[in-house]
Amino acid sequence: MKKPQKSSRVPVPLNRMEKHLEEQLKFLTRSCHDFDKGETSEYKRIALTIRILTYDGGQSRSLLQQLGMKGIPFVSYAGKIDLRNLLVSHPLIMMTIGESGTCFLPVLDKGPRSARQLNFENWWKEDVLCSPDGTVLTRGDFVTIVANQDGGAHVDPRLDERFDKLANENLAGWISDTPDGEKPLQHIEKMHLRQIGFECLQSIEVAWKKRLGNRPCLCSSGRKFRYCCGKHANV
């Protein structure tokens, strides 16, 4: 019996790669929207989509890298963490008190800090959570742990200890009064992913629209798309 021949691979045209980018941005937008509507489990899809868009490691090549867009500026709303702080620092999320009690929320662009622009490497490796016991997590940690271990693309029987302490053992230590008594505040890890998704969308969408806008207009006017038909397409 003949061994099955290994199938060969063919190059994917640029226009199809760009279509993949548009689809992934739509997936990320939809997941963020559904998350805000109460489907907080979407944090796993958010992590997976960000991984597809940005992660390079092993045999993985990010979509941005393949499109030559890895050098775009990335938006950060995290301030520098003060390591002398005796409480857990988490500048990407905030606590708010409402009718249903105290909860975590992503800062989005409503926080006290103005947006900074970082190159991808600094954005990915920026510390966004630090506790007095020395636990530190970066954006890259949140994305890869959730995508690779916590159900984004794979469910691993062993979970990163830092993430487990944060998500399941109330590492942050915040407590909320509820009608049923005091309970640990939940979803801190999910709110971090929602904020990272927000920053990722802001960064990539701006760069993508600029890339499209600088192309010759399809109407053959000889002008750039953003100065011609793009004026009516919000690009």
Side-chain angles (χ1 to χ4, degrees):
M1 181 176 179
K2 291 183 178 180
K3 291 184 178 181
Q5 291 184 343
K6 187 177 181 179
S7 60
S8 58
R9 297 189 180 189
V10 298
V12 178
L14 177 62
N15 66 323
R16 278 171 33 201
M17 294 297 290
E18 292 181 335
K19 183 66 175 177
H20 281 301
L21 177 63
E22 291 180 336
E23 288 176 345
Q24 293 299 323
L25 290 175
K26 288 180 180 177
F27 293 157
L28 184 52
T29 299
R30 188 177 307 135
S31 289
C32 289
H33 178 269
D34 290 346
F35 184 102
D36 295 342
K37 294 295 184 181
E39 296 291 339
T40 57
S41 60
E42 286 292 324
Y43 82 99
K44 297 181 181 181
R45 295 184 193 269
I46 291 173
L48 176 58
T49 306
I50 295 173
R51 187 190 187 283
I52 291 170
L53 288 166
T54 67
Y55 179 73
D56 291 286
Q59 295 183 341
S60 296
R61 287 190 65 203
S62 68
L63 195 46
L64 289 186
Q65 182 70 27
Q66 294 180 70
L67 289 170
M69 294 177 62
K70 200 69 179 287
I72 67 173
F74 276 76
V75 173
S76 168
Y77 286 94
K80 186 175 181 179
I81 290 177
D82 184 355
L83 298 178
R84 298 168 299 177
N85 197 339
L86 298 179
L87 299 175
V88 174
S89 298
H90 41 70
L92 290 186
I93 66 170
M94 59 185 176
M95 287 187 294
T96 184
I97 302 175
E99 294 181 359
S100 57
T102 306
C103 63
F104 289 120
L105 288 176
V107 298
L108 303 180
D109 56 358
K110 312 300 182 186
R113 302 174 186 86
S114 300
R116 295 178 295 130
Q117 290 192 332
L118 305 174
N119 63 41
F120 174 76
E121 197 70 13
N122 289 338
W123 180 82
W124 184 255
K125 293 183 177 180
E126 184 175 31
D127 296 341
V128 294
L129 183 137
C130 182
S131 70
D133 71 353
T135 300
V136 176
L137 288 164
T138 66
R139 288 185 183 86
D141 291 328
F142 275 103
V143 172
T144 55
I145 291 168
V146 173
N148 298 341
Q149 300 177 20
D150 196 40
H154 180 72
V155 176
D156 199 280
R158 298 176 65 85
L159 186 62
D160 185 285
E161 183 180 9
R162 298 166 302 165
F163 186 84
D164 184 60
K165 284 163 58 178
L166 179 69
N168 302 310
E169 297 182 13
N170 193 26
L171 171 68
W174 301 116
I175 301 294
S176 176
D177 286 324
T178 73
D180 298 323
E182 292 185 342
K183 290 186 177 181
L185 285 185
Q186 295 181 323
H187 307 316
I188 187 171
E189 77 286 5
K190 299 177 183 180
M191 297 303 162
H192 274 87
L193 264 300
R194 175 62 180 92
Q195 177 66 25
I196 296 169
F198 174 78
E199 293 179 343
C200 201
L201 277 173
Q202 278 206 334
S203 305
I204 299 174
E205 285 183 337
V206 168
W208 176 235
K209 288 179 180 180
K210 184 176 181 180
R211 177 165 168 156
L212 290 180
N214 284 330
R215 291 179 175 173
C217 193
L218 295 176
C219 72
S220 302
S221 66
R223 305 176 69 195
K224 289 185 177 181
F225 178 67
R226 61 177 169 152
Y227 296 130
C228 192
C229 296
K231 287 184 176 180
H232 309 294
N234 295 319
V235 175

